[in-house]
Amino acid sequence: MLFAVQFEAVSEKSFFFILLPGLQEVVVVIQSQRNSYHARRSEQRKEEILQQAAEEGKGRPVVVLLHELTEYEGDWSILPALPHLFATYGQLASWFIFVEEETRLRLAALLRVLHRYPEHEEWFLGRGLHDDGASIIHHYAFSEDPSSFTYPDPSAGWAVSKPLLKRLAVRLQHESLKSDFTIDLHHEIALYVWEEGNGPKLTAVPEFCSQMRDNCATSFTTFLPDCGEPVPKTDVFVAVKTCHKFHHDRVPVVRATWEKDAGFLEFYSDVSDSSIPTISLGVPNTERGHCGKTFAIMRRFLSGAVPRADWLLIVDDDTLVSLSRLRMLLRCYDSREAVSLGERYGYGLLHKGYSYTTGGGGMVLSRVAVSRLMSSGCSCHSDDAPDDMVIGRCFTSLGVPITHSPLFHQARPDDYSGKLISSQQAISFHKHWNVDPLAVYKHWLKDDLPRDEL
């Protein structure tokens, strides 16, 4: 169904009629998550969109909660979900809009935007981001001119026309991705759409906004919601993985920055050092993964050897953390559930792979999640296996969802779009390489409130 809109031309007193697509030709995909808090928030957003549509009287869009689309947990990475989206809704829909659960839509403005782009053509629309420099998380793509390639800001939402979605869906059924890893899905989606110049680049749409303005079709609230008072310091046990060779350069950074905000914190090393102090878990240091050490930490967390806490945070010795913001975020989650929270990556998701929380950004686990994991029989195949990936594979087999927050970062601030992270209240960054970690902490993570208020 199309709607006629009447307006008066500036140059003459005549009237024209423009046909706008109705809302029933639009599919809104809310990038929801299986965790109970996120499922509730996305259901609320869906109800708000449908209520707004009823008030507008221009049709009813289809609103899809991504975690309900299929039983496959890996749909969060979008590409695996596209064939199913097209098969289910492609006959009736002209546009597919992807938004975060905290993205607000103004449906009348959205329809005006979509009218500008012929629906029979391939379109990829959004608010453009670009790397400010060569980025490790994007495998240094376009390093000679980072601004030459844009990808959509997830908070502002993004859209694809039906012809583009159809081509992508067909292609995905016959072609593997270049990498088995999903790291930054919106950059990777843009690369897949662009197809080395054979497909469209992102078209920047000024009405796709991260902050509300008068003409915005989309806007965004926050990735750090206000769910009430932060959980107490004593509800979070912090485990820092280190080794002897970093006792004198990395550990002092932790102690000078965020350690003082912890209720309970222990350093775990390959040797005991009473001057810090560190605790040896009897696991030798490894140059690659640290699965053996991490599983030993989880066993200790469940034992009577440490104070009882609802949450376990496991970080590297070169991870910088805002514990005050983490405690605010944790108020949104139910510690009685099995929760695995952090920056989510994926492995082999086009082929029924698994997701995991990146270790460098920090892994947050509820006591229930740790208990289920340790009682399941899941274990490391070697001490130097990648701990984050092993834990993710275990949780996938147990049906425990990996819950994503973009406030955790596996890399340094410079590895992300400045436009994106400047609007965040980050919880963590990782790596001291070519940066001053004290300056990074002060600029990006330090809160200037009195300590007794955090």
Side-chain angles (χ1 to χ4, degrees):
M1 181 177 180
L2 299 174
F3 292 89
V5 176
Q6 178 176 289
F7 69 95
E8 185 174 355
V10 175
S11 59
E12 55 187 39
K13 298 294 184 179
S14 59
F15 290 88
F16 298 89
F17 288 86
I18 294 178
L19 293 180
L20 295 180
L23 286 172
Q24 70 282 346
E25 296 179 48
V26 175
V27 175
V28 179
V29 181
I30 300 177
Q31 293 173 229
S32 56
Q33 303 191 64
R34 296 184 190 276
N35 173 270
S36 64
Y37 165 72
H38 291 283
R40 288 193 305 272
R41 289 296 296 141
S42 57
E43 186 63 46
Q44 291 168 359
R45 184 67 68 239
K46 176 179 179 178
E47 292 173 2
E48 292 172 6
I49 292 171
L50 294 177
Q51 178 61 36
Q52 184 185 162
E55 295 170 357
E56 291 286 344
K58 296 180 180 178
R60 178 186 172 96
V62 173
V63 183
V64 177
L65 302 186
L66 189 58
H67 79 279
E68 294 180 349
L69 181 64
T70 70
E71 293 297 316
Y72 180 45
E73 188 270 341
D75 281 346
W76 67 264
S77 61
I78 306 298
L79 290 178
L82 295 186
H84 187 80
L85 275 172
F86 182 76
T88 306
Y89 304 108
Q91 291 298 316
L92 299 176
S94 299
W95 290 96
F96 292 77
I97 317 297
F98 297 82
V99 296
E100 299 285 341
E101 67 186 36
E102 298 296 339
T103 304
R104 304 282 181 142
L105 290 176
R106 294 171 63 183
L107 296 177
L110 178 64
L111 285 180
R112 289 194 294 270
V113 168
L114 297 180
H115 170 70
R116 295 205 300 264
Y117 305 96
E119 62 186 43
H120 62 278
E121 298 177 5
E122 292 190 358
W123 291 103
F124 181 33
L125 311 177
R127 176 178 186 256
L129 301 175
H130 63 77
D131 292 341
D132 302 314
S135 172
I136 188 173
I137 63 171
H138 297 152
H139 306 292
Y140 302 105
F142 306 97
S143 58
E144 294 183 357
D145 184 9
S147 65
S148 66
F149 184 78
T150 56
Y151 49 97
D153 180 346
S155 65
W158 50 283
V160 296
S161 60
K162 179 166 71 174
L164 176 56
L165 183 69
K166 178 180 180 180
R167 185 167 65 83
L168 295 176
V170 171
R171 184 176 159 210
L172 284 161
Q173 293 175 318
H174 300 93
E175 180 181 310
S176 297
L177 299 180
K178 290 185 176 180
S179 173
D180 288 329
F181 288 90
T182 300
I183 294 176
D184 183 346
L185 71 94
H186 293 93
H187 187 273
E188 290 157 22
I189 289 169
L191 277 177
Y192 195 79
V193 170
W194 180 60
E195 197 179 355
E196 298 183 349
N198 295 312
K201 280 191 173 183
L202 183 75
T203 297
V205 177
E207 294 90 346
F208 281 24
C209 310
S210 59
Q211 296 179 341
M212 176 55 71
R213 299 190 304 272
D214 288 342
N215 65 334
C216 287
T218 69
S219 61
F220 188 72
T221 50
T222 180
F223 282 118
L224 186 59
D226 183 1
C227 295
E229 290 296 314
V231 301
K233 289 183 177 182
T234 52
D235 279 358
V236 183
F237 187 89
V238 182
V240 182
K241 296 180 295 181
T242 187
C243 63
H244 183 258
K245 67 179 180 179
F246 295 132
H247 285 188
H248 300 295
D249 54 358
R250 293 185 180 179
V251 169
V253 172
V254 177
R255 308 206 73 169
T257 54
W258 59 273
E259 181 196 24
K260 57 182 69 73
D261 293 330
F264 304 127
L265 182 146
E266 289 185 340
F267 292 93
Y268 297 104
S269 184
D270 51 340
V271 297
S272 296
D273 184 341
S274 59
S275 67
I276 295 176
T278 63
I279 295 170
S280 173
L281 297 169
V283 179
N285 186 55
T286 55
E287 292 297 325
R288 298 174 59 203
H290 304 286
C291 195
K293 181 183 289 184
T294 298
F295 270 70
I297 288 170
M298 291 189 290
R299 285 192 292 270
R300 181 174 172 84
F301 174 72
L302 296 177
S303 73
V306 299
R308 184 179 178 87
D310 291 336
W311 299 96
L312 171 64
L313 168 64
I314 304 176
V315 295
D316 294 342
D317 53 8
D318 58 347
T319 302
L320 299 167
V321 183
S322 171
L323 288 176
S324 60
R325 297 174 193 170
L326 174 61
R327 288 169 43 228
M328 288 177 61
L329 182 63
L330 287 179
R331 177 58 69 189
C332 299
Y333 298 95
D334 188 346
S335 62
R336 296 169 298 181
E337 295 181 8
V339 179
S340 174
L341 171 68
E343 184 180 25
R344 180 179 52 192
Y345 281 8
Y347 180 76
L349 294 182
L350 273 185
H351 306 288
K352 304 302 180 184
Y354 59 91
S355 307
Y356 60 99
T357 298
T358 61
M363 296 184 286
V364 183
L365 304 171
S366 65
R367 175 172 288 272
V368 173
V370 178
S371 180
R372 283 190 60 182
L373 178 62
M374 300 309 291
S375 63
S376 70
C378 256
S379 61
C380 308
H381 56 80
S382 64
D383 283 344
D384 66 348
D387 51 353
D388 49 6
M389 296 182 72
V390 170
I391 291 172
R393 190 179 67 236
C394 291
F395 279 141
T396 297
S397 68
L398 294 171
V400 174
I402 304 299
T403 302
H404 175 67
S405 169
L407 304 181
F408 296 79
H409 300 89
Q410 173 71 12
R412 309 161 303 160
D414 289 349
D415 291 312
Y416 301 87
S417 166
K419 187 188 294 187
L420 181 65
I421 62 168
S422 62
S423 64
Q424 295 180 350
Q425 292 175 280
I427 286 176
S428 71
F429 289 104
H430 182 226
K431 296 291 187 188
H432 295 174
W433 181 65
N434 280 357
V435 297
D436 177 353
L438 298 178
V440 169
Y441 177 78
K442 182 178 180 180
H443 181 76
W444 293 102
L445 299 168
K446 187 177 186 296
D447 290 305
D448 293 323
L449 293 173
R451 298 243 174 250
D452 58 359
E453 295 182 23
L454 296 178

